[in-house]
Amino acid sequence: IIAMEAFFTYLIKSIICLILFLAVYVVFFRRTTFIVFNRIYLLFGFLVSLILPAYTFTYDVMLNVDMANILPPAGQTQAENPVAAGTNWWQVVLMIYIAGIALLTLRNILAYIKIARLIRSGIRYNSDGIKLVNNENIKSPFSVLNYVILNTKELSVTEKELIIKHEVTHVKQKHWIDLICGQCMLVLQWFNPFVWLY
C-alpha cells in the first residue's frame, strides 16, 4: 500500500509539472514562430515531468515531544482501523489505471499494424531517402518514420507537390519522435485531460 501511495503521489506531481509546462507554453509561446524552440520546450516538458517528481526534497525538523502524552496507557490497545479490513481502494485504483494503460497500448499497437498494412499494400517510391507510399485507402496524408503516405487519386499535381513537400519536412525534422514521446506520456497519464491537449 505504501508503494502504491508513493507511486500515485509521484503521478500527481508529474501531472502538476506537465500542466505548468503546458500553461507557460499556452500563455507565452503558442502564438510565436519559434518552431524549433517550441518543439524543444514541449519535449523538455515531458522529460522534466517524468524526472523531477521522482526527486523528493526532504529536511529534518526537531521537535520536543512528551511521549507520555502520546502513547496510550499500559494495557490499552489502539482500535483497529475499519478501513483496513474492507476494500483496498488503492488496489482498485491501480487496476483501473493499469486497464487504461493496457487499452491505450492496444490501441497504439493496432494503429501501427494498420499503418504497416497501408504501407505494404500501397505503391512505394524512393526519393532522396524518403519513401513515398501511394494508397487509395488513405483519407488524409501523413508521415511516419521515413514514410510519406498519401492518396494521389483526387489530387492535382500542385496539391500533390505541396503535400509531399510538407510531409517530407516532417520526416527530415524527425517529428515522429515528438509523436512517440506524446503517445508514451498519453499512455502513462491517460486520465489527465491536459496531457491530451499537450
Side-chain angles (χ1 to χ4, degrees):
I1 293 175
I2 294 172
M4 281 190 281
E5 286 182 13
F7 173 72
F8 283 112
T9 300
Y10 161 81
L11 209 54
I12 290 166
K13 289 178 182 177
S14 177
I15 290 166
I16 292 168
C17 249
L18 199 69
I19 290 171
L20 289 174
F21 267 91
L22 180 62
V24 170
Y25 172 77
V26 168
V27 172
F28 296 106
F29 305 129
R30 186 177 62 172
R31 299 190 186 281
T32 65
T33 54
F34 307 122
I35 296 169
V36 175
F37 172 82
N38 287 354
R39 182 184 180 197
I40 292 169
Y41 173 85
L42 290 170
L43 289 174
F44 184 71
F46 283 145
L47 190 64
V48 171
S49 296
L50 290 173
I51 294 172
L52 189 62
Y55 183 77
T56 304
F57 299 92
T58 59
Y59 55 91
D60 294 328
V61 176
M62 301 298 290
L63 296 174
N64 293 322
V65 179
D66 183 5
M67 296 304 290
N69 294 329
I70 294 175
L71 296 174
Q76 183 180 339
T77 57
Q78 290 183 335
E80 286 188 24
N81 185 356
V83 178
T87 305
N88 188 338
W89 292 107
W90 284 114
Q91 287 183 344
V92 173
V93 171
L94 183 64
M95 294 304 293
I96 293 169
Y97 176 68
I98 291 171
I101 288 176
L103 284 173
L104 271 184
T105 302
L106 179 62
R107 186 195 76 159
N108 288 343
I109 290 169
L110 292 174
Y112 297 139
I113 290 170
K114 185 177 179 181
I115 290 170
R117 286 177 179 164
L118 288 171
I119 290 170
R120 280 199 307 270
S121 63
I123 301 168
R124 284 173 276 184
Y125 310 92
N126 286 328
S127 175
D128 295 331
I130 308 293
K131 296 175 182 177
L132 303 175
V133 179
N134 185 18
N135 192 320
E136 292 185 5
N137 294 320
I138 303 292
K139 293 180 181 178
S140 180
F142 65 95
S143 57
V144 59
L145 299 176
N146 61 336
Y147 289 94
V148 173
I149 306 165
L150 71 163
N151 179 1
T152 59
K153 186 178 179 182
E154 297 179 359
L155 296 176
S156 67
V157 175
T158 306
E159 287 173 328
K160 179 182 172 183
E161 288 177 356
L162 286 172
I163 288 170
I164 290 174
K165 184 178 179 182
H166 176 82
E167 295 299 335
V168 164
T169 302
H170 283 298
V171 171
K172 288 183 175 177
Q173 293 180 355
K174 301 187 186 308
H175 284 179
W176 57 269
I177 294 173
D178 309 37
L179 295 174
I180 288 176
C181 289
Q183 286 299 322
C184 289
M185 187 60 84
L186 191 60
V187 166
L188 293 173
Q189 295 187 14
W190 57 266
F191 56 90
N192 176 8
F194 292 98
V195 80
W196 293 84
L197 292 172
Y198 204 107

